[in-house]
Amino acid sequence: MKQQMKMVLEMDDMQCQNYMKLHGNELFSYMLSNLGSPDSVLRDELIYRLFVKLISEQQLETIQLTHALKELITDRYLFASIDEKGSDDVFIRSFSTLWLTGLFWLDQEHPFMDSELRSKALEKSATYLLQERDTRGFVEGKGWAHSIAHGADLAAMIASHSLVEKRLIPIILEGVASCFWKGGVYVDDEDERLVAIIMSLAKSDYPEEILIEWMEQVFDKLDRKTPKKGYFQSFYHARTNILQFMKTLYFALKKSKRYPKLQSTASFFIQKWQNV
C-alpha cells in the first residue's frame, strides 16, 4: 500500500481520478485506518500528504468524506485514549484534528455535510483542546505529535467557519485557556498556533469585549494560583505559557490593526506580570 500511495502522489488530476474510481475505497479506508501510525513516514509523508492532495483536488466522493467525518469525531479517533499522556494514541488524536481541519475547509469551499452532521462535528471538535492532556511536540523516533498545535489549527478553522454556532466559541476559548495549565512549557510554536484562534475570531468580528473579559479571566486565575510562598513549578510554567501567548497575540493584533482595546489590555497584563 505504501507503494500505491507514493504512485498516487505523483499522478496528475486525470490519472488520480481514474485510479480513485477503481481503487479509491480500498485506498481511503487504509489511509483512515492508519492516519495515526507511529511510523512518521507512513503517517506524515504518505497518508497525510495524500489526504491533502485528495481533498484539494476533490478526488473523494461525498459518501467517503461523510464516512470519514463520522469516524473521526468518535472515541476511536479524535478522543482515542483522551485521558492518557505519553502513549502512541496521541498520533491518532492529533492527526484526526488535521483531517478534520481539512474536511471543514473543504466544507467551506464545497459544502458536503448535511446540517445535522456539520453541527455535531463542529460541537465535538470544539471540545478537543479542553480535553487533550498530552503536550508533546516532537517525539524521538516517531516524529511530530504536536497535539496542541494541531488542535489549535482545528479550533481556528472552527472559529472561522461561516456556519459555526456562536455558543461554541466560549468552549474553544476555555480550551485555549486550559492549554496554559497542562504542564510544561511550550517550545514548538504552540503560542502562534493558539493565537491564530483569536485572530480567526477577529476576522469574523467576534465581540472584542468578550475577548477582553476572557483575557482578564486568564490573568485572574493566574493571580489566584500565585504561590504565597515557595516555588511551584506548575505555576511558573503556566505563567511562562500565558506571557508568551500574550506577547505573540499583542504583536499579531498590532500588525493586523484589529482589536486595539484587547491589544492594550494584553500590554497592561504583560507589563504587570513580566517580572513577577
Side-chain angles (χ1 to χ4, degrees):
M1 194 61 78
K2 284 186 177 182
Q3 285 304 121
Q4 291 185 46
M5 286 189 285
K6 289 178 182 178
M7 181 177 64
V8 177
L9 279 167
E10 299 301 320
M11 290 179 178
D12 62 29
D13 287 3
M14 187 57 67
Q15 290 172 326
C16 186
Q17 184 178 3
N18 291 333
Y19 181 90
M20 292 301 290
K21 284 181 180 178
L22 294 173
H23 309 290
N25 286 334
E26 178 188 5
L27 176 66
F28 194 60
S29 177
Y30 177 86
M31 291 168 61
L32 181 61
S33 298
N34 293 277
L35 67 80
S37 169
D39 178 349
S40 63
V41 173
L42 177 62
R43 183 186 68 244
D44 295 356
E45 298 179 24
L46 295 176
I47 292 177
Y48 183 63
R49 279 185 61 208
L50 185 52
F51 172 73
V52 171
K53 173 184 171 70
L54 293 177
I55 64 168
S56 61
E57 295 178 0
Q58 297 182 64
Q59 300 282 8
L60 295 167
E61 302 291 337
T62 298
I63 191 171
Q64 294 170 316
L65 296 167
T66 301
H67 171 70
L69 182 64
K70 289 178 178 178
E71 282 292 300
L72 288 167
I73 58 175
T74 67
D75 292 346
R76 293 185 294 276
Y77 286 89
L78 186 61
F79 303 108
S81 307
I82 192 67
D83 292 328
E84 293 182 4
K85 296 173 68 174
S87 78
D88 283 348
D89 281 354
V90 69
F91 294 105
I92 300 175
R93 299 193 300 272
S94 183
F95 279 76
S96 292
T97 68
L98 289 183
W99 277 49
L100 284 165
T101 301
L103 292 176
F104 287 133
W105 169 84
L106 182 63
D107 187 56
Q108 285 270 68
E109 300 296 316
H110 307 281
F112 71 90
M113 304 179 191
D114 65 55
S115 58
E116 184 178 348
L117 178 57
R118 180 186 295 112
S119 178
K120 180 180 179 181
L122 287 168
E123 183 168 2
K124 286 269 193 178
S125 300
T127 69
Y128 173 74
L129 275 181
L130 193 57
Q131 298 187 59
E132 181 59 72
R133 298 179 61 208
D134 196 321
T135 61
R136 288 176 295 169
F138 188 81
V139 179
E140 195 65 38
K142 298 175 182 178
W144 288 97
H146 230 193
S147 54
I148 300 301
H150 293 170
D153 295 343
L154 175 59
M157 175 57 68
I158 296 170
S160 67
H161 199 290
S162 59
L163 296 176
V164 68
E165 297 176 59
K166 295 304 180 186
R167 65 183 179 85
L168 299 182
I169 304 303
I171 298 173
I172 290 174
L173 290 173
E174 185 181 0
V176 174
S178 75
C179 289
F180 305 139
W181 294 90
K182 292 183 186 293
V185 174
Y186 297 116
V187 295
D188 294 311
D189 293 334
E190 287 87 351
D191 57 306
E192 294 185 8
R193 310 282 271 275
L194 290 166
V195 162
I197 300 169
I198 308 301
M199 300 312 296
S200 287
L201 293 173
K203 291 175 184 176
S204 63
D205 294 321
Y206 190 73
E208 183 179 22
E209 294 74 19
I210 296 179
L211 290 174
I212 291 173
E213 182 180 354
W214 171 79
M215 185 178 289
E216 291 172 343
Q217 290 172 353
V218 168
F219 283 102
D220 281 347
K221 179 175 180 178
L222 191 62
D223 192 51
R224 294 195 307 272
K225 296 284 187 177
T226 302
K228 298 298 184 284
K229 60 180 180 178
Y231 177 90
F232 292 97
Q233 189 179 58
S234 60
F235 167 80
Y236 286 100
H237 284 175
R239 173 186 165 277
T240 299
N241 289 333
I242 291 169
L243 287 178
Q244 185 59 45
F245 171 89
M246 295 299 171
K247 291 172 186 176
T248 303
L249 176 60
Y250 172 86
F251 285 108
L253 291 171
K254 186 174 183 178
K255 182 178 180 180
S256 70
K257 296 182 171 59
R258 294 179 184 270
Y259 288 169
K261 293 180 181 177
L262 184 63
Q263 181 185 339
S264 177
T265 303
S267 176
F268 168 78
F269 282 116
I270 291 167
Q271 293 180 64
K272 176 182 176 181
W273 285 90
Q274 184 65 50
N275 297 311
V276 173

